[in-house]
């Protein structure tokens, strides 16, 4: 199964209305990043043990670790969780940027240094979420 099929299966496996919200977000992110690399992480480690929720990734950036090693990873992540949806915005050096810039304007969402979590799209200002995604899509490390 290729990445596109894994993503489609993951989204369609969600109950409504989360399924429709995830599909809309997938479309919005792809509009912002039309030629980006797509990722699908099933949430399992090398021992096939579940360690996280599955997530869809968009884009590519290289994580630099303190010991000098590197790892390729995605810029934007999308994941269903037990209470709603998480959008991960990774690789921004200023860990206060998302909170300072978007938290007060986005609506009913929790905003941390790298994650915007909400129950449903209807609870947030989608234009503000798109602005955060666009910022990361254009942000240079």
């Amino acid at each position: 199964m290729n990445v596109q099929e894994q993503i489609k299966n993951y989204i369609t496996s969600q109950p409504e209305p989360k399924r429709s919200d995830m599909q809309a977000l997938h479309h919005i992110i792809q509009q912002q990043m039309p030629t980006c690399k797509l990722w699908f992480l099933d949430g399992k480690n090398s021992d096939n043990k579940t360690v996280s929720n599955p997530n869809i990734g968009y884009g590519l950036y290289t994580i630099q670790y303190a010991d000098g090693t590197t790892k390729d990873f995605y810029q934007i992540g999308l994941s269903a969780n037990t209470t709603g949806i998480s959008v991960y915005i990774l690789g921004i050096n200023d860990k206060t940027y998302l909170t300072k810039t978007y938290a007060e304007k986005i609506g009913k969402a929790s905003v941390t240094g790298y994650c915007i979590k909400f129950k449903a799209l209807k609870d947030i200002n989608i234009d503000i979420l798109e602005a955060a995604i666009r910022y990361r899509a254009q942000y240079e490390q």
Side-chain angles (χ1 to χ4, degrees), residues 11-43:
I11 292 172
T12 58
S13 74
Q14 301 304 313
E16 285 294 355
K18 193 181 293 186
R19 178 185 318 140
S20 294
D21 285 355
M22 294 276 294
Q23 187 61 55
L25 286 165
H26 180 61
H27 182 71
I28 287 166
I29 297 167
Q30 287 194 296
Q31 281 184 313
Q32 297 291 330
M33 305 171 75
T35 61
C36 74
K37 175 180 174 142
L38 290 175
W39 303 65
F40 182 76
L41 304 178
D42 64 6

mmCIF file of all heavy atoms in Angstrom, residues 11-43:
data_model
loop_
_atom_site.group_PDB
_atom_site.id
_atom_site.type_symbol
_atom_site.label_atom_id
_atom_site.label_comp_id
_atom_site.label_asym_id
_atom_site.label_seq_id
_atom_site.Cartn_x
_atom_site.Cartn_y
_atom_site.Cartn_z
ATOM 1 N N ILE A 11 -7.896 8.327 7.034
ATOM 2 C CA ILE A 11 -8.949 9.341 7.113
ATOM 3 C C ILE A 11 -10.327 8.683 7.080
ATOM 4 O O ILE A 11 -11.194 9.000 7.901
ATOM 5 C CB ILE A 11 -8.795 10.396 5.999
ATOM 6 C CG1 ILE A 11 -7.528 11.242 6.252
ATOM 7 C CG2 ILE A 11 -10.037 11.293 5.915
ATOM 8 C CD1 ILE A 11 -7.167 12.190 5.126
ATOM 9 N N THR A 12 -10.534 7.747 6.162
ATOM 10 C CA THR A 12 -11.866 7.126 6.053
ATOM 11 C C THR A 12 -12.194 6.228 7.247
ATOM 12 O O THR A 12 -13.357 5.927 7.477
ATOM 13 C CB THR A 12 -12.034 6.335 4.732
ATOM 14 O OG1 THR A 12 -11.028 5.331 4.650
ATOM 15 C CG2 THR A 12 -11.968 7.248 3.532
ATOM 16 N N SER A 13 -11.189 5.830 8.018
ATOM 17 C CA SER A 13 -11.449 5.004 9.207
ATOM 18 C C SER A 13 -11.969 5.825 10.383
ATOM 19 O O SER A 13 -12.421 5.264 11.381
ATOM 20 C CB SER A 13 -10.177 4.263 9.628
ATOM 21 O OG SER A 13 -9.256 5.151 10.243
ATOM 22 N N GLN A 14 -11.913 7.147 10.276
ATOM 23 C CA GLN A 14 -12.362 8.009 11.379
ATOM 24 C C GLN A 14 -13.887 8.122 11.376
ATOM 25 O O GLN A 14 -14.510 8.145 10.320
ATOM 26 C CB GLN A 14 -11.749 9.408 11.248
ATOM 27 C CG GLN A 14 -10.236 9.437 11.254
ATOM 28 C CD GLN A 14 -9.645 8.788 12.476
ATOM 29 O OE1 GLN A 14 -10.069 9.034 13.604
ATOM 30 N NE2 GLN A 14 -8.644 7.944 12.259
ATOM 31 N N PRO A 15 -14.486 8.217 12.555
ATOM 32 C CA PRO A 15 -15.939 8.429 12.618
ATOM 33 C C PRO A 15 -16.284 9.863 12.191
ATOM 34 O O PRO A 15 -15.452 10.763 12.326
ATOM 35 C CB PRO A 15 -16.262 8.206 14.100
ATOM 36 C CG PRO A 15 -14.991 8.549 14.814
ATOM 37 C CD PRO A 15 -13.870 8.156 13.882
ATOM 38 N N GLU A 16 -17.485 10.054 11.684
ATOM 39 C CA GLU A 16 -17.946 11.415 11.394
ATOM 40 C C GLU A 16 -18.251 12.122 12.714
ATOM 41 O O GLU A 16 -18.638 11.474 13.671
ATOM 42 C CB GLU A 16 -19.203 11.385 10.510
ATOM 43 C CG GLU A 16 -18.928 11.046 9.071
ATOM 44 C CD GLU A 16 -18.101 12.077 8.311
ATOM 45 O OE1 GLU A 16 -17.780 13.154 8.863
ATOM 46 O OE2 GLU A 16 -17.752 11.808 7.175
ATOM 47 N N PRO A 17 -18.079 13.435 12.828
ATOM 48 C CA PRO A 17 -17.656 14.372 11.798
ATOM 49 C C PRO A 17 -16.133 14.513 11.666
ATOM 50 O O PRO A 17 -15.643 15.254 10.831
ATOM 51 C CB PRO A 17 -18.279 15.689 12.253
ATOM 52 C CG PRO A 17 -18.263 15.590 13.750
ATOM 53 C CD PRO A 17 -18.523 14.118 14.055
ATOM 54 N N LYS A 18 -15.391 13.756 12.482
ATOM 55 C CA LYS A 18 -13.929 13.851 12.437
ATOM 56 C C LYS A 18 -13.395 13.499 11.039
ATOM 57 O O LYS A 18 -12.457 14.120 10.555
ATOM 58 C CB LYS A 18 -13.300 12.938 13.495
ATOM 59 C CG LYS A 18 -11.835 13.201 13.743
ATOM 60 C CD LYS A 18 -11.261 12.254 14.781
ATOM 61 C CE LYS A 18 -11.848 12.500 16.144
ATOM 62 N NZ LYS A 18 -11.201 11.680 17.189
ATOM 63 N N ARG A 19 -14.011 12.530 10.383
ATOM 64 C CA ARG A 19 -13.571 12.126 9.042
ATOM 65 C C ARG A 19 -13.636 13.306 8.069
ATOM 66 O O ARG A 19 -12.672 13.577 7.364
ATOM 67 C CB ARG A 19 -14.432 10.984 8.524
ATOM 68 C CG ARG A 19 -14.060 10.542 7.119
ATOM 69 C CD ARG A 19 -14.998 9.487 6.549
ATOM 70 N NE ARG A 19 -15.349 8.488 7.540
ATOM 71 C CZ ARG A 19 -16.553 7.961 7.675
ATOM 72 N NH1 ARG A 19 -17.539 8.297 6.882
ATOM 73 N NH2 ARG A 19 -16.788 7.067 8.605
ATOM 74 N N SER A 20 -14.751 14.006 8.055
ATOM 75 C CA SER A 20 -14.903 15.150 7.150
ATOM 76 C C SER A 20 -13.919 16.268 7.503
ATOM 77 O O SER A 20 -13.348 16.903 6.611
ATOM 78 C CB SER A 20 -16.332 15.682 7.197
ATOM 79 O OG SER A 20 -17.214 14.723 6.668
ATOM 80 N N ASP A 21 -13.722 16.513 8.796
ATOM 81 C CA ASP A 21 -12.764 17.535 9.224
ATOM 82 C C ASP A 21 -11.343 17.162 8.798
ATOM 83 O O ASP A 21 -10.587 18.009 8.311
ATOM 84 C CB ASP A 21 -12.821 17.731 10.738
ATOM 85 C CG ASP A 21 -14.045 18.502 11.206
ATOM 86 O OD1 ASP A 21 -14.826 18.983 10.354
ATOM 87 O OD2 ASP A 21 -14.222 18.620 12.440
ATOM 88 N N MET A 22 -10.979 15.905 8.978
ATOM 89 C CA MET A 22 -9.632 15.446 8.582
ATOM 90 C C MET A 22 -9.456 15.568 7.067
ATOM 91 O O MET A 22 -8.406 15.993 6.591
ATOM 92 C CB MET A 22 -9.407 13.993 9.018
ATOM 93 C CG MET A 22 -9.374 13.761 10.502
ATOM 94 S SD MET A 22 -7.789 14.060 11.272
ATOM 95 C CE MET A 22 -6.785 12.784 10.575
ATOM 96 N N GLN A 23 -10.484 15.207 6.303
ATOM 97 C CA GLN A 23 -10.406 15.312 4.850
ATOM 98 C C GLN A 23 -10.249 16.772 4.437
ATOM 99 O O GLN A 23 -9.440 17.093 3.563
ATOM 100 C CB GLN A 23 -11.664 14.710 4.192
ATOM 101 C CG GLN A 23 -11.571 14.628 2.685
ATOM 102 C CD GLN A 23 -10.429 13.752 2.205
ATOM 103 O OE1 GLN A 23 -10.319 12.592 2.583
ATOM 104 N NE2 GLN A 23 -9.546 14.302 1.398
ATOM 105 N N ALA A 24 -10.997 17.669 5.063
ATOM 106 C CA ALA A 24 -10.894 19.100 4.760
ATOM 107 C C ALA A 24 -9.494 19.621 5.090
ATOM 108 O O ALA A 24 -8.892 20.361 4.301
ATOM 109 C CB ALA A 24 -11.957 19.882 5.531
ATOM 110 N N LEU A 25 -8.959 19.228 6.235
ATOM 111 C CA LEU A 25 -7.609 19.666 6.623
ATOM 112 C C LEU A 25 -6.548 19.110 5.674
ATOM 113 O O LEU A 25 -5.601 19.813 5.308
ATOM 114 C CB LEU A 25 -7.305 19.249 8.062
ATOM 115 C CG LEU A 25 -8.016 20.073 9.117
ATOM 116 C CD1 LEU A 25 -7.949 19.384 10.463
ATOM 117 C CD2 LEU A 25 -7.421 21.467 9.189
ATOM 118 N N HIS A 26 -6.697 17.868 5.288
ATOM 119 C CA HIS A 26 -5.766 17.258 4.332
ATOM 120 C C HIS A 26 -5.757 18.085 3.041
ATOM 121 O O HIS A 26 -4.687 18.411 2.506
ATOM 122 C CB HIS A 26 -6.196 15.812 4.063
ATOM 123 C CG HIS A 26 -5.346 15.061 3.103
ATOM 124 N ND1 HIS A 26 -3.996 14.816 3.315
ATOM 125 C CD2 HIS A 26 -5.644 14.489 1.908
ATOM 126 C CE1 HIS A 26 -3.515 14.128 2.281
ATOM 127 N NE2 HIS A 26 -4.489 13.922 1.422
ATOM 128 N N HIS A 27 -6.924 18.477 2.584
ATOM 129 C CA HIS A 27 -7.043 19.285 1.372
ATOM 130 C C HIS A 27 -6.409 20.671 1.565
ATOM 131 O O HIS A 27 -5.661 21.149 0.710
ATOM 132 C CB HIS A 27 -8.520 19.404 0.985
ATOM 133 C CG HIS A 27 -8.752 20.171 -0.266
ATOM 134 N ND1 HIS A 27 -8.427 19.689 -1.514
ATOM 135 C CD2 HIS A 27 -9.268 21.411 -0.468
ATOM 136 C CE1 HIS A 27 -8.733 20.591 -2.423
ATOM 137 N NE2 HIS A 27 -9.246 21.635 -1.814
ATOM 138 N N ILE A 28 -6.698 21.313 2.698
ATOM 139 C CA ILE A 28 -6.152 22.644 2.997
ATOM 140 C C ILE A 28 -4.623 22.604 3.023
ATOM 141 O O ILE A 28 -3.955 23.463 2.439
ATOM 142 C CB ILE A 28 -6.703 23.169 4.346
ATOM 143 C CG1 ILE A 28 -8.176 23.564 4.187
ATOM 144 C CG2 ILE A 28 -5.873 24.325 4.880
ATOM 145 C CD1 ILE A 28 -8.911 23.778 5.508
ATOM 146 N N ILE A 29 -4.061 21.615 3.691
ATOM 147 C CA ILE A 29 -2.601 21.526 3.795
ATOM 148 C C ILE A 29 -1.992 21.279 2.419
ATOM 149 O O ILE A 29 -0.995 21.900 2.051
ATOM 150 C CB ILE A 29 -2.176 20.447 4.811
ATOM 151 C CG1 ILE A 29 -2.661 20.822 6.215
ATOM 152 C CG2 ILE A 29 -0.653 20.262 4.793
ATOM 153 C CD1 ILE A 29 -2.584 19.701 7.244
ATOM 154 N N GLN A 30 -2.613 20.417 1.636
ATOM 155 C CA GLN A 30 -2.079 20.153 0.298
ATOM 156 C C GLN A 30 -2.198 21.378 -0.609
ATOM 157 O O GLN A 30 -1.366 21.565 -1.489
ATOM 158 C CB GLN A 30 -2.766 18.947 -0.320
ATOM 159 C CG GLN A 30 -2.310 17.664 0.333
ATOM 160 C CD GLN A 30 -2.702 16.455 -0.468
ATOM 161 O OE1 GLN A 30 -3.872 16.170 -0.647
ATOM 162 N NE2 GLN A 30 -1.703 15.752 -0.969
ATOM 163 N N GLN A 31 -3.188 22.225 -0.394
ATOM 164 C CA GLN A 31 -3.282 23.469 -1.156
ATOM 165 C C GLN A 31 -2.117 24.391 -0.800
ATOM 166 O O GLN A 31 -1.579 25.075 -1.669
ATOM 167 C CB GLN A 31 -4.600 24.197 -0.873
ATOM 168 C CG GLN A 31 -5.775 23.637 -1.615
ATOM 169 C CD GLN A 31 -7.021 24.471 -1.371
ATOM 170 O OE1 GLN A 31 -7.352 24.832 -0.240
ATOM 171 N NE2 GLN A 31 -7.715 24.782 -2.449
ATOM 172 N N GLN A 32 -1.749 24.419 0.479
ATOM 173 C CA GLN A 32 -0.646 25.267 0.930
ATOM 174 C C GLN A 32 0.717 24.706 0.491
ATOM 175 O O GLN A 32 1.658 25.456 0.296
ATOM 176 C CB GLN A 32 -0.654 25.389 2.461
ATOM 177 C CG GLN A 32 -1.865 26.057 3.029
ATOM 178 C CD GLN A 32 -1.928 27.525 2.700
ATOM 179 O OE1 GLN A 32 -0.915 28.185 2.544
ATOM 180 N NE2 GLN A 32 -3.124 28.035 2.560
ATOM 181 N N MET A 33 0.802 23.389 0.356
ATOM 182 C CA MET A 33 2.064 22.714 0.063
ATOM 183 C C MET A 33 1.836 21.695 -1.071
ATOM 184 O O MET A 33 1.946 20.493 -0.860
ATOM 185 C CB MET A 33 2.574 22.011 1.325
ATOM 186 C CG MET A 33 2.717 22.915 2.522
ATOM 187 S SD MET A 33 3.081 22.023 4.055
ATOM 188 C CE MET A 33 4.800 21.616 3.821
ATOM 189 N N PRO A 34 1.497 22.165 -2.274
ATOM 190 C CA PRO A 34 1.049 21.259 -3.342
ATOM 191 C C PRO A 34 2.068 20.225 -3.814
ATOM 192 O O PRO A 34 1.691 19.160 -4.296
ATOM 193 C CB PRO A 34 0.654 22.201 -4.478
ATOM 194 C CG PRO A 34 1.346 23.485 -4.181
ATOM 195 C CD PRO A 34 1.503 23.558 -2.702
ATOM 196 N N THR A 35 3.344 20.499 -3.684
ATOM 197 C CA THR A 35 4.354 19.556 -4.181
ATOM 198 C C THR A 35 5.132 18.889 -3.051
ATOM 199 O O THR A 35 6.176 18.293 -3.288
ATOM 200 C CB THR A 35 5.347 20.271 -5.124
ATOM 201 O OG1 THR A 35 6.003 21.312 -4.385
ATOM 202 C CG2 THR A 35 4.643 20.857 -6.331
ATOM 203 N N CYS A 36 4.610 18.975 -1.832
ATOM 204 C CA CYS A 36 5.357 18.469 -0.682
ATOM 205 C C CYS A 36 5.410 16.948 -0.654
ATOM 206 O O CYS A 36 4.572 16.257 -1.224
ATOM 207 C CB CYS A 36 4.753 18.991 0.618
ATOM 208 S SG CYS A 36 3.198 18.210 1.084
ATOM 209 N N LYS A 37 6.417 16.462 0.059
ATOM 210 C CA LYS A 37 6.508 15.027 0.344
ATOM 211 C C LYS A 37 5.400 14.669 1.321
ATOM 212 O O LYS A 37 5.135 15.399 2.275
ATOM 213 C CB LYS A 37 7.878 14.722 0.959
ATOM 214 C CG LYS A 37 8.023 13.284 1.408
ATOM 215 C CD LYS A 37 9.381 12.988 2.008
ATOM 216 C CE LYS A 37 9.369 11.575 2.565
ATOM 217 N NZ LYS A 37 10.569 10.856 2.375
ATOM 218 N N LEU A 38 4.725 13.541 1.080
ATOM 219 C CA LEU A 38 3.708 13.037 1.996
ATOM 220 C C LEU A 38 4.281 11.893 2.825
ATOM 221 O O LEU A 38 5.053 11.082 2.315
ATOM 222 C CB LEU A 38 2.483 12.535 1.224
ATOM 223 C CG LEU A 38 1.620 13.593 0.555
ATOM 224 C CD1 LEU A 38 0.518 12.934 -0.265
ATOM 225 C CD2 LEU A 38 1.008 14.538 1.583
ATOM 226 N N TRP A 39 3.885 11.835 4.071
ATOM 227 C CA TRP A 39 4.320 10.806 4.999
ATOM 228 C C TRP A 39 3.083 10.159 5.618
ATOM 229 O O TRP A 39 2.058 10.803 5.762
ATOM 230 C CB TRP A 39 5.097 11.418 6.162
ATOM 231 C CG TRP A 39 6.298 12.229 5.846
ATOM 232 C CD1 TRP A 39 6.336 13.421 5.168
ATOM 233 C CD2 TRP A 39 7.634 11.961 6.223
ATOM 234 N NE1 TRP A 39 7.609 13.891 5.121
ATOM 235 C CE2 TRP A 39 8.436 13.017 5.760
ATOM 236 C CE3 TRP A 39 8.237 10.911 6.921
ATOM 237 C CZ2 TRP A 39 9.803 13.059 5.969
ATOM 238 C CZ3 TRP A 39 9.602 10.965 7.133
ATOM 239 C CH2 TRP A 39 10.380 12.028 6.652
ATOM 240 N N PHE A 40 3.220 8.913 6.032
ATOM 241 C CA PHE A 40 2.218 8.308 6.900
ATOM 242 C C PHE A 40 2.951 7.489 7.948
ATOM 243 O O PHE A 40 3.711 6.583 7.618
ATOM 244 C CB PHE A 40 1.215 7.416 6.147
ATOM 245 C CG PHE A 40 0.172 6.865 7.081
ATOM 246 C CD1 PHE A 40 -0.851 7.688 7.525
ATOM 247 C CD2 PHE A 40 0.252 5.568 7.553
ATOM 248 C CE1 PHE A 40 -1.796 7.205 8.437
ATOM 249 C CE2 PHE A 40 -0.686 5.084 8.461
ATOM 250 C CZ PHE A 40 -1.716 5.907 8.890
ATOM 251 N N LEU A 41 2.740 7.833 9.201
ATOM 252 C CA LEU A 41 3.333 7.095 10.310
ATOM 253 C C LEU A 41 2.197 6.385 11.042
ATOM 254 O O LEU A 41 1.230 7.018 11.471
ATOM 255 C CB LEU A 41 4.065 8.041 11.263
ATOM 256 C CG LEU A 41 5.158 8.905 10.616
ATOM 257 C CD1 LEU A 41 5.780 9.834 11.643
ATOM 258 C CD2 LEU A 41 6.211 8.041 9.969
ATOM 259 N N ASP A 42 2.310 5.076 11.166
ATOM 260 C CA ASP A 42 1.221 4.296 11.753
ATOM 261 C C ASP A 42 1.192 4.313 13.283
ATOM 262 O O ASP A 42 0.295 3.736 13.900
ATOM 263 C CB ASP A 42 1.238 2.857 11.242
ATOM 264 C CG ASP A 42 2.480 2.078 11.648
ATOM 265 O OD1 ASP A 42 3.317 2.592 12.423
ATOM 266 O OD2 ASP A 42 2.626 0.933 11.164
ATOM 267 N N GLY A 43 2.146 4.966 13.899
ATOM 268 C CA GLY A 43 2.167 5.081 15.357
ATOM 269 C C GLY A 43 2.827 3.913 16.068
ATOM 270 O O GLY A 43 2.809 3.827 17.281
#
